[in-house]
Amino acid sequence: MKPITTRNTLKMENKKEMRQWLDDFGLNHPLVIGGPCSAETEEQVLKIAHELKDTDVTVYRAGIWKPRTRPGMFEGVGAIGLGWLKKVKEETGLLTATEVANKDHVKLALENDIDILWIGARSTVSPFIMQEIADALEGTDKIVLVKNPVNPDLALWLGGVERLYSSNIKKLGLIHRGFSTYEKTKYRNIPEWQIAIEVKNRFPDLPMICDPSHISGRRDLIFDVSQAALDLNFDGLMIESHWDPDNAWSDAAQQVTPTRLVEIMKDLKVRKETTNEENYQNELNNLRAQIDVMDQTLLDTLGKRMQVSGQIGKLKKENNVAVLQNKRWNEILGRMILEGQERKLSEEFILRVFKAIHQESINQQEKILNS
Ligand code: PEP
Ligand code: MN
């Protein structure tokens, strides 16, 4: 392994070459990567692939080595499945993609001419593994996609891409598959769209693909998550598809049949990035002006609220009372959730906003108490 300490953080801005591979596909719609979570049998792999050829699917995915959270679950068929993917390419013309998680996987995938290799969320999280994979891939002209790490850590995600970039791999992209949380939400992995948006803003040339299957964890959410991604101008989607989803050997709840995948692709709306149409521009400017005023008001109100918090902090200090008053805080939260509902604001949103406000309030009071 190369000594990481001697590397400089890369400047990847304006690296149009990173997305050249996607432009070269010449698609008039977002890229779609479809296929089963896991390759199970040769028959299963080929059957699904044949159902997905001649659709908007360009790339066929199938996990050969499966990173399982708990031992004893299906860990993938291993190298034998690479031959099945080769057959997929020969018989259907689809490009092929699989996950690699160490240097042996990389060697085998390259030997078997897999077109796209992706790094899974449990690998991106480990700089050691990422470096091992980057070293094994050095100079490859294959396309390499990096899934976000399981935890919402932007630096770790970009660090993965930087390691690949400095291993002279120039056909790169990101896959947004959501982030794991301890809290139970309707998602298997919460999207935290703002993180993906931040990456897109910083590296507009790095293709960003959404994986609605692993964000959702259940098939009935896949359409909405896919549409949300397209509304945010994502470059593509990776959707798990199995001919018999309920009996899939992994991720059964989130897979859709090829028929359903085709339906999803047909119903998704691809938005124009923008338009110069005059009415649209006028209306948009008008609405944006309103938003700007409201954001200003929000900021002013927050500022004033924190000043009052500060006064409370002073009062608590004079009376030697603890900063955190749990009972009062729970009352506020309960009330805000109810009032939020009346304004069509989700509980999840209210919790996030008020937890953040409360935290800032505590920080400000702590400062006063300890000054
Ligand atoms: C997968 O794509 O099947 C997979 C294991 O994904 P992730 O790394 O996002 O969990
Ligand atoms: Mn899966």
Side-chain angles (χ1 to χ4, degrees):
M1 193 174 291
K2 293 171 190 157
I4 292 160
T5 44
T6 61
R7 283 161 197 262
N8 292 323
T9 309
L10 281 163
K11 297 249 179 305
M12 298 192 301
E13 293 90 345
N14 303 320
K15 294 282 187 243
K16 286 252 182 299
E17 60 185 337
M18 291 191 297
R19 69 173 300 115
Q20 192 57 46
W21 62 269
L22 184 56
D23 296 339
D24 288 346
F25 283 171
L27 303 172
N28 59 359
H29 55 77
L31 173 71
V32 184
I33 303 173
C37 177
S38 304
E40 298 166 2
T41 63
E42 180 170 354
E43 188 200 2
Q44 171 249 15
V45 167
L46 287 168
K47 189 175 159 82
I48 301 167
H50 277 278
E51 289 190 44
L52 292 176
K53 76 165 186 229
D54 304 326
T55 69
D56 280 351
V57 172
T58 303
V59 182
Y60 188 75
R61 65 150 283 156
I64 298 290
W65 302 281
K66 298 305 297 178
R68 307 320 309 234
T69 303
R70 313 269 310 265
M73 296 156 102
F74 175 56
E75 292 189 333
V77 291
I80 190 177
L82 294 167
W84 308 340
L85 286 177
K86 222 186 229 169
K87 266 198 175 169
V88 166
K89 193 154 39 171
E90 285 160 12
E91 291 185 18
T92 66
L94 290 164
L95 298 177
T96 53
T98 202
E99 172 175 350
V100 289
N102 62 39
K103 58 180 185 326
D104 302 326
H105 297 166
V106 169
K107 187 167 174 285
L108 286 163
L110 294 180
E111 277 169 13
N112 283 275
D113 205 22
I114 299 290
D115 302 293
I116 299 184
L117 291 75
W118 84 78
I119 320 289
R122 293 164 196 76
S123 302
T124 313
V125 89
S126 159
F128 289 131
I129 289 288
M130 260 323 302
Q131 192 57 49
E132 175 180 323
I133 296 172
D135 289 342
L137 280 167
E138 175 103 45
T140 184
D141 65 347
K142 299 289 182 194
I143 299 158
V144 184
L145 304 177
V146 185
K147 285 199 170 198
N148 65 259
V150 281
N151 55 321
D153 187 330
L154 196 71
L156 212 45
W157 196 4
L158 292 173
V161 179
E162 287 168 345
R163 285 175 203 279
L164 294 167
Y165 194 81
S166 42
S167 275
N168 212 16
I169 299 152
K170 297 292 146 69
K171 298 182 184 173
L172 290 165
L174 299 167
I175 302 177
H176 171 47
R177 50 77 81 193
F179 302 92
S180 109
T181 52
Y182 182 66
E183 281 169 67
K184 283 272 155 278
T185 72
K186 70 173 175 174
Y187 301 106
R188 176 177 176 192
N189 293 294
I190 50 167
E192 304 271 20
W193 293 108
Q194 75 285 356
I195 295 182
I197 292 168
E198 197 177 326
V199 178
K200 270 169 66 65
N201 288 343
R202 278 214 238 162
F203 301 102
D205 297 320
L206 206 46
M208 173 76 85
I209 290 159
C210 179
D211 173 346
S213 306
H214 289 88
I215 290 177
S216 306
R218 38 185 262 214
R219 62 184 73 96
D220 62 317
L221 291 180
I222 287 178
F223 182 85
D224 286 348
V225 174
S226 303
Q227 187 62 66
L230 296 190
D231 292 347
L232 292 170
N233 270 318
F234 274 56
D235 297 287
L237 300 167
M238 180 195 253
I239 301 182
E240 288 186 341
S241 179
H242 192 287
W243 67 279
D244 182 11
D246 284 334
N247 291 306
W249 297 2
S250 60
D251 289 352
Q254 72 194 32
Q255 303 207 56
V256 294
T257 61
T259 313
R260 175 67 191 137
L261 178 53
V262 169
E263 209 173 78
I264 289 174
M265 291 185 289
K266 188 167 76 47
D267 292 343
L268 284 172
K269 290 198 173 55
V270 182
R271 321 275 185 206
K272 286 177 278 192
E273 205 160 315
T274 184
T275 162
N276 289 324
E277 218 257 304
E278 205 184 324
N279 282 341
Y280 163 81
Q281 286 299 347
N282 288 342
E283 183 72 2
L284 186 67
N285 289 341
N286 181 318
L287 293 170
R288 283 187 173 159
Q290 291 181 44
I291 293 271
D292 288 348
V293 172
M294 288 173 197
D295 283 348
Q296 205 56 53
T297 315
L298 267 177
L299 267 185
D300 288 345
T301 309
L302 285 173
K304 284 184 201 143
R305 190 195 188 283
M306 290 310 155
Q307 275 173 16
V308 177
S309 285
Q311 287 169 13
I312 294 182
K314 240 172 100 193
L315 198 64
K316 284 179 181 166
K317 182 176 184 171
E318 282 158 16
N319 292 278
N320 200 25
V321 171
V323 165
L324 182 64
Q325 299 289 323
N326 251 325
K327 185 163 164 286
R328 155 96 180 134
W329 167 234
N330 284 329
E331 278 166 14
I332 298 186
L333 257 192
R335 198 172 67 236
M336 289 304 152
I337 288 170
L338 284 178
E339 297 213 6
Q341 273 168 3
E342 287 169 20
R343 291 164 177 79
K344 296 199 166 32
L345 302 171
S346 72
E347 178 170 338
E348 190 189 344
F349 173 67
I350 296 288
L351 282 174
R352 273 175 181 248
V353 169
F354 280 92
K355 277 185 187 170
I357 292 176
H358 188 230
Q359 185 59 55
E360 178 66 14
S361 216
I362 289 179
N363 295 349
Q364 303 246 357
Q365 292 191 11
E366 279 287 346
K367 244 189 263 161
I368 291 172
L369 252 73
N370 296 311
S371 65

